[in-house]
Amino acid sequence: EFDHITATISLYRPGPMDFIPDFIACLHGEKQPEYVHPILEPILGETMAVCVYQEQVIQILADVAGYTPGEADLVRRGISKKSKKTLDEHREIFAKGSGEKSGLKRAEADAIWDALMGFARYGFNRAHAADYAVIVAQTAFLKAYYPVEFMAALLTIERHDTEKIGLLIAACRRMGIEVLPPSINVSSNNFTVEQL
């Protein structure tokens, strides 16, 4: 699914990579998602109980503790900048707000906050991940259905990097694509598809 590609892009970063095995196990039904608190299930359900996106951080702050989206975004920024003063302040605000809005006890609020701090430092913007996922899907389509043209384009893009050219030619061979040597009679400046 497209959402799985988006999540993979967001998870494949230092920090969130630790959650990839759990995400995959939950995705394939080998394991049940483990939520820090059941109140998080509607927000983290699509990402297998892992807080992957910055937008989820904002939604948790808003839905659980009553932050406005603007206030929640300021906290998200504080988390990414590791501002201890901001985070200490908001631990208290979150605990108070989650008690008033969601009826959580202090220990429950602290558990959610601590989990949030672990996730949010590495949270990725979902819109950016979705943009990258579109490119991944398009690239995979082109490689699957137009492999010769795709590899010719890649080779042309990387034509000034001899190390990458060697890797790409090896990939062509694995795919059963013959890469011909230069010919004074037919070669052009770029890699092209030879019509045989």
Side-chain angles (χ1 to χ4, degrees):
E1 290 184 22
F2 184 79
D3 286 342
H4 297 160
I5 298 170
T6 307
T8 301
I9 289 166
S10 301
L11 284 165
Y12 198 73
R13 309 180 172 285
M17 286 176 73
D18 297 342
F19 301 104
I20 291 174
D22 290 336
F23 183 89
I24 292 170
C26 292
L27 187 65
H28 293 292
E30 298 163 5
K31 177 181 175 180
Q32 288 300 310
E34 296 175 21
Y35 298 93
V36 174
H37 190 280
I39 200 167
L40 299 178
E41 188 170 351
I43 300 166
L44 303 180
E46 70 176 319
T47 53
M48 311 298 150
V50 179
C51 188
V52 176
Y53 307 114
Q54 292 175 356
E55 291 84 350
Q56 288 174 310
V57 172
I58 291 169
Q59 190 176 356
I60 289 169
L61 292 167
D63 291 0
V64 174
Y67 282 76
T68 67
E71 292 167 339
D73 190 50
L74 291 175
V75 176
R76 180 203 54 82
R77 284 188 212 163
I79 293 167
S80 64
K81 291 180 181 176
K82 298 175 182 75
S83 169
K84 184 169 173 18
K85 182 182 175 209
T86 301
L87 298 180
D88 288 345
E89 252 175 53
H90 281 282
R91 174 185 279 279
E92 298 306 316
I93 295 168
F94 181 82
K96 184 175 185 234
S98 61
E100 292 170 1
K101 180 169 173 74
S102 303
L104 297 182
K105 296 180 178 130
R106 177 61 193 240
E108 294 171 315
D110 284 343
I112 292 171
W113 181 262
D114 291 339
L116 198 56
M117 293 306 103
F119 291 131
R121 286 194 313 263
Y122 306 103
F124 195 66
N125 183 300
R126 185 177 189 155
H128 291 176
D131 287 345
Y132 296 150
V134 168
I135 294 167
V136 166
Q138 291 170 336
T139 303
F141 176 86
L142 292 171
K143 188 174 182 182
Y145 292 99
Y146 301 94
V148 177
E149 293 83 354
F150 178 79
M151 294 308 290
L154 266 181
L155 284 160
T156 297
I157 289 168
E158 300 295 349
R159 68 183 173 269
H160 300 297
D161 186 335
T162 53
E163 188 176 321
K164 284 188 181 174
I165 288 292
L167 294 171
L168 291 170
I169 289 174
C172 286
R173 289 184 179 134
R174 283 192 304 276
M175 295 167 68
I177 299 170
E178 185 180 4
V179 179
L180 302 173
S183 166
I184 196 162
N185 295 321
V186 293
S187 294
S188 72
N189 292 338
N190 296 323
F191 287 84
T192 57
V193 176
E194 184 73 24
Q195 302 300 327
L196 300 175

